[in-house]
Amino acid sequence: MRSKIRYQLLDPSAAPKTFKFIWILLFLAVCFVAYYLWIFNPKKGIYDPLTTDKQNPMTYEQVVNDLRNEIDQRNAIISELQKDFVKMELKTEFKAIYPRRPETDHIDCGRILADDKVYLQTVSGKDRVKIVENKNLNMSCSAIMNRILPSGNDLKPLKNGVAFARIVYTDYEMIEKQVQMSYHPQNSFCFAIDKKAPSQFHERLRAMAACLPNVLLLPDEESVDSAGHNINLAHYNCLRVLINKPGWNYAILLQNHDVIVKSVYEIEQIYDWLGGANDIEITPEAGRVDNKKFKWDPVSLKMFRNETGIDKNVLTTSMKFAKGAVQGSLSRGAVDWMVRTVDLSTYINQWNEGSSGVDEQFIQSFQVSADLGMPGHFTDECLKQKRNTDFVSRMSQWMYGSAHKCGSKTVRHAICLLGIEDLRTVAAYPNLMFNKMIPAFDYSIVECTAELLYNRTFLGQVDHPLEENYYAQMVNVLYHKNHLEPNYKLECKPSYTRWAEREYPL
Ligand SMILES: *[C@@H]1O[C@H](CO)[C@@H](O)[C@H](O)[C@H]1NC(C)=O
Ligand SMILES: *[C@@H]1O[C@H](CO)[C@@H](O)[C@H](O)[C@H]1NC(C)=O
Ligand SMILES: *[C@@H]1O[C@H](CO)[C@@H](O)[C@H](O)[C@H]1NC(C)=O
């Protein structure tokens, strides 16, 4: 403002020639004032066109031009500085951004999350991105560590970690991605490999387990199949190994293509709300129990390692049965009980003699056999009321009708395969894992989910706050918390809308 006024005063064309004398006086006065300002100015040394070169007085035009040049120069410097600043900001942000594989590099996960349907069209259907496997993946320990724990990303300590028990047979790079997505030094990862898996897959998992102290690989391998044979045994063997690891308060059972969709901090919070209750799907047993060949009471099952002090009635009465997803969450107390208080070998062997769906009764039956006393257990009361019990550990979308209702419009074995169209559902649902993502079908859903968790974990982004009310009001959680209270009444219908009744896909 001041310099603008000065321009007008110094502009000779604006003043009549007869007033030149007054102008000279005024100019001298201005010089005088400027001189004093310069003397008392703490920022002495800043260029002032009015005080330079006293021997060679300037014309008005020169002064004005000098001032203009000076201002132009400073503006140029300011704009350079501003550009540098923007670049620096971009750079620090760039460092923190989730590193993508090349084939998914062009996918803008943020736009899909923001429901940009036009954009979604360009990365789904025929433009769906499949994984391009790296045949020469560097399996040196430092290369594995660099992929799983990118430097500069610090994790806060957890009050309680998680133990992952996963049965695997294929897609090593996706398995390693799963470890990265849930990695925390306090978490433990146990893998049981299907004996039939290719040798390179075995070698790679061995390299990962040899490198990271909290990645455990079972030494004995069994052959698992789609009828569920040996699935329970593999999980049980993982639990036996995991119980020796400190630092976790829940174990979660998974299979190859189940993807955890909550960050390590979110999982810690969710399990805190479950408060020790196991999270297991409970639906009616489907007539698969072989009662002709086998007995199912604890004595016949050689279940309790020490039968002293256990009610005779409990020991000689057949346990109860239920059916549900193989995936589920068990409290540390439940795992400790399964491994140290009881021995489930006979129980597992008897089920392995069956013909189909033999793995779907394992944790369910202990969960509903309240008398056996597994910590965090539930009851069979809701089954008697013909109500299934909700669980949040796994989301899978059963689809018996048209595949058109699946986000990806693709169905396999009556379950929707997940595609990039499911990202919004993945981000919004309360479930801990989604089943199933197949890298050879759609890898961008895996990468966008990984980026989502990365953003939540390392960039502190909150896209969907956790629904505390959901977890804390689950039927099994309320039962666990209150069933020993004298006036407790079991309510089998939850007060909230179950995820399975929600809109799908979002
Ligand atoms: C993750 O954060 C980055 C940086 O803010 C953003 O560009 C990207 O869209 C986010 N992705 C998701 C899936 O939220
Ligand atoms: C594998 O990665 C390590 C560490 O990043 C590096 O030193 C080594 O040269 C790499 N090996 C190959 C064959 O690229
Ligand atoms: C079996 O349990 C009883 C009662 O709890 C206990 O007194 C006994 O020491 C236990 N026996 C063994 C071998 O642990």
Side-chain angles (χ1 to χ4, degrees):
M1 208 53 193
R2 222 178 78 184
S3 55
K4 198 171 173 198
I5 291 163
R6 201 185 285 163
Y7 282 154
Q8 286 168 355
L9 290 176
L10 293 177
D11 188 348
S13 64
K17 292 218 167 9
T18 44
F19 287 91
K20 209 169 191 170
F21 180 66
I22 296 169
W23 277 115
I24 288 167
L25 271 183
L26 204 63
F27 176 59
L28 286 176
V30 167
C31 285
F32 193 72
V33 168
Y35 177 67
Y36 268 92
L37 277 177
W38 186 72
I39 283 186
F40 294 109
N41 191 343
K43 288 184 243 156
K44 205 191 271 187
I46 289 178
Y47 171 75
D48 186 340
L50 295 179
T51 57
T52 50
D53 206 354
K54 289 192 186 82
Q55 266 98 51
N56 196 3
M58 292 175 162
T59 64
Y60 300 128
E61 286 87 346
Q62 277 174 319
V63 169
V64 169
N65 277 341
D66 278 357
L67 267 171
R68 284 196 175 131
N69 284 342
E70 175 70 7
I71 284 166
D72 284 350
Q73 275 170 24
R74 290 194 182 191
N75 276 342
I77 291 170
I78 287 170
S79 107
E80 281 303 310
L81 280 173
Q82 271 174 338
K83 272 188 216 152
D84 281 354
F85 193 62
V86 169
K87 264 191 222 153
M88 261 162 58
E89 270 190 331
L90 279 179
K91 226 175 169 180
T92 44
E93 224 172 69
F94 182 74
K95 225 182 104 198
I97 270 175
Y98 172 74
R100 244 14 127 61
R101 313 171 55 97
E103 63 270 39
T104 62
D105 207 30
H106 64 287
I107 310 269
D108 189 336
C109 306
R111 275 176 84 175
I112 296 161
L113 199 60
D115 206 15
D116 186 334
K117 292 205 169 63
V118 176
Y119 177 69
L120 182 62
Q121 297 276 313
T122 68
V123 291
S124 55
K126 68 176 182 9
D127 298 313
R128 198 179 290 287
V129 176
K130 300 168 178 52
I131 195 167
V132 178
E133 283 177 25
N134 185 348
K135 296 270 182 277
N136 303 311
L137 194 63
N138 187 332
M139 292 306 295
S140 72
C141 185
S142 54
I144 295 171
M145 301 238 314
N146 282 342
R147 290 194 295 267
I148 291 180
L149 311 150
S151 60
N153 288 329
D154 294 328
L155 287 158
K156 289 178 282 179
L158 300 174
K159 205 166 72 188
N160 290 297
V162 185
F164 300 87
R166 192 189 286 267
I167 300 167
V168 294
Y169 66 96
T170 188
D171 296 325
Y172 171 79
E173 287 178 89
M174 178 176 174
I175 299 301
E176 192 188 274
K177 177 63 56 185
Q178 307 297 321
V179 174
Q180 183 205 316
M181 286 163 73
S182 299
Y183 195 80
H184 193 287
Q186 280 166 261
N187 289 348
S188 294
F189 305 83
C190 175
F191 291 102
I193 311 184
D194 179 4
K195 209 176 196 161
K196 302 186 299 297
S199 63
Q200 190 200 46
F201 183 79
H202 278 86
E203 281 157 26
R204 286 176 165 184
L205 264 176
R206 255 181 248 132
M208 177 166 49
C211 176
L212 295 164
N214 49 346
V215 173
L216 312 162
L217 193 56
L218 290 186
D220 309 322
E221 294 174 358
E222 309 289 339
S223 201
V224 300
D225 60 32
S226 59
H229 292 109
N230 290 326
I231 296 278
N232 298 156
L233 185 60
H235 276 146
Y236 189 48
N237 285 338
C238 261
L239 296 178
R240 287 209 266 226
V241 171
L242 287 166
I243 198 68
N244 298 310
K245 284 265 167 189
W248 58 267
N249 71 337
Y250 267 92
I252 186 159
L253 309 184
L254 312 100
Q255 292 188 329
N256 205 108
H257 295 113
D258 295 326
V259 174
I260 296 282
V261 301
K262 296 283 185 243
S263 74
V264 287
Y265 305 127
E266 288 176 310
I267 292 182
E268 178 190 38
Q269 175 62 78
I270 292 168
Y271 283 145
D272 195 50
W273 284 327
L274 296 195
N278 302 319
D279 180 56
I280 292 165
E281 182 183 30
I282 303 293
T283 69
E285 197 277 317
R288 292 172 183 164
V289 185
D290 188 343
N291 282 315
K292 290 200 186 106
K293 210 163 152 192
F294 301 117
K295 287 186 160 177
W296 298 92
D297 60 274
V299 172
S300 304
L301 288 167
K302 300 183 199 59
M303 191 187 277
F304 286 95
R305 293 179 189 271
N306 178 0
E307 293 181 349
T308 318
I310 294 174
D311 191 326
K312 273 266 140 19
N313 239 342
V314 171
L315 286 175
T316 55
T317 306
S318 174
M319 58 186 291
K320 297 177 169 107
F321 291 97
K323 177 178 83 89
V326 165
Q327 296 88 338
S329 300
L330 294 162
S331 70
R332 185 169 189 118
V335 174
D336 194 82
W337 181 88
M338 290 174 98
V339 172
R340 292 177 172 151
T341 302
V342 295
D343 177 353
L344 301 180
S345 312
T346 306
Y347 172 89
I348 288 170
N349 288 343
Q350 290 190 182
W351 271 109
N352 258 339
E353 297 280 312
S355 58
S356 76
V358 298
D359 53 343
E360 294 179 345
Q361 293 74 210
F362 178 50
I363 47 179
Q364 283 70 21
S365 300
F366 294 105
Q367 182 74 348
V368 296
S369 295
D371 290 344
L372 295 180
M374 174 173 75
H377 66 78
F378 190 53
T379 164
D380 64 340
E381 284 303 317
C382 294
L383 277 182
K384 287 185 190 156
Q385 295 178 24
K386 302 215 180 320
R387 279 202 185 274
N388 295 345
T389 304
D390 182 30
F391 82 131
V392 276
S393 289
R394 186 189 86 170
M395 186 281 182
S396 51
Q397 190 63 42
W398 291 93
M399 197 55 69
Y400 295 103
S402 154
H404 202 75
K405 289 187 188 142
C406 295
S408 68
K409 317 253 182 285
T410 311
V411 100
R412 194 174 294 172
H413 305 311
I415 287 184
C416 293
L417 286 194
L418 299 169
I420 189 64
E421 301 89 335
D422 291 294
L423 184 63
R424 288 167 55 75
T425 312
V426 159
Y429 269 35
N431 307 68
L432 277 70
M433 80 174 91
F434 269 60
N435 164 284
K436 46 182 98 185
M437 298 186 192
I438 309 278
F441 170 69
D442 190 328
Y443 200 64
S444 50
I445 182 61
V446 177
E447 280 282 71
C448 284
T449 304
E451 181 176 295
L452 182 74
L453 298 199
Y454 181 97
N455 284 4
R456 290 177 183 173
T457 307
F458 298 111
L459 309 185
Q461 293 182 11
V462 181
D463 51 285
H464 292 83
L466 292 176
E467 298 171 62
E468 175 174 1
N469 183 57
Y470 196 107
Y471 306 101
Q473 299 299 317
M474 288 178 66
V475 173
N476 53 324
V477 172
L478 292 177
Y479 170 87
H480 174 72
K481 203 170 156 201
N482 302 315
H483 75 281
L484 297 175
E485 302 288 327
N487 297 323
Y488 172 68
K489 197 182 164 300
L490 177 68
E491 177 51 75
C492 293
K493 188 176 161 27
S495 54
Y496 53 81
T497 307
R498 298 185 303 127
W499 62 263
E501 294 160 350
R502 292 187 180 181
E503 184 190 349
Y504 169 83
L506 293 179

